[in-house]
Amino acid sequence: MERVYNFSAGPSMLPVQVLETAAAEMLNYQDSGMSVMEMSHRSPVYEKIIQDAEKLLREVMNIPDNYKVLFLQGGASTQFAAVPLNLLSGSGKADYILSGQFSTKAYKEAQKYGDIAVAGSTKDINFSAVPKSETLNFRADADYVHMCFNNTIYGTKFRYIPDTGSVPLVADMSSCILSEPVDVSKFGLIYAGAQKNMSAAGLTVVIVREDLLGKARPETPTMLDYKTMADNDSMYNTPPCYCIYIAKLVYEWILGLGGLEKMREHNAKKAALLYDYLDSQDYYLAPVAKDSRSMMNVTFVTGDAELDKKFASEASSAGLKNLKGHRSVGGMRASIYNAMPMDGVEKLVAFMKEFAKNNPKK
Ligand SMILES: Cc1ncc(COP(=O)(O)O)c(C=O)c1O
């Protein structure tokens, strides 16, 4: 079977070049006589891989020197607990911006640990936009503010970085990291599950400002304390070795293409093709407010649940996979992360036109 266009929200497509390199190096990584999966994480050959991965990520994202990069396990969901455990140790207060399901889950998890307030929410409009900056309320004595930058399920994204003054801003960037440049210095902490734009599932990256380390609450499990991992260069225990190796290949691929500015151009063109088509017709509806549209996850509906089902099924037969929307919102969702080629989006738009022609609404 040929490779398909995989519009999955995660795990998702990886660049072919990365997969080919991994395949070529599978049995014998750089004359070590073994695969990366089989080698000790304490071996010099593996130590070079993880050190190079960190160096490359710093270069790709232009991460300032006063930030630590941690390669962790447990998925972004583990960070929903790790963030309050590590940071909620001053006033015990934190403010959460609710812009979708994941930020709501993070908010609920944090409530176990202290005085957690809602800084702003768009639940009343079914998260079809992110909260506007002027509607946000922050407490000056909060230990941190939490937000989710790109809302994978709803297809929304913040176009601005909330101004939290001196209160550290924590951002879940699972579904937009590496899609475009971001000013890391505006954040106290960034975290991301790697399975969308960075690697295979099993790796979570945390980028944390050094002054936020060493403040963990006493009950924090050793493994969830950022300082444990920072002091041990993410090697306190066995790290997700193979995923870190794949991430390194992805960072090399991005640099080879010209870095995150180029990545943004590529992603903006793909997203524009899809949104321009959606805006030019009335068969499909794009439910997200224009000023909140995500470049990574594009949601649309026909307005008829049966037609939506037929669309996803026929698209799948045509080699356009995983277009069914998240089970909680229905409709369709095209996740067009970095590795999705322009060609995939062109094929999708052509399919959408054909489907609309062949399935007139009653
Ligand atoms: C924005 C966002 N946050 C958190 C998660 C949860 O990530 P994980 O499955 O790695 O725990 C996801 C998963 O899709 C996500 O898209």
Side-chain angles (χ1 to χ4, degrees), residues 9 74-78 80 102 148 150-152 172 174-175 193 195-196 204:
S77 303
T78 298
F80 299 167
F102 292 112
C148 178
N150 185 81
N151 300 284
T152 325
D172 175 354
S174 296
S175 51
Q195 64 271 23
K196 301 164 197 299
T204 311

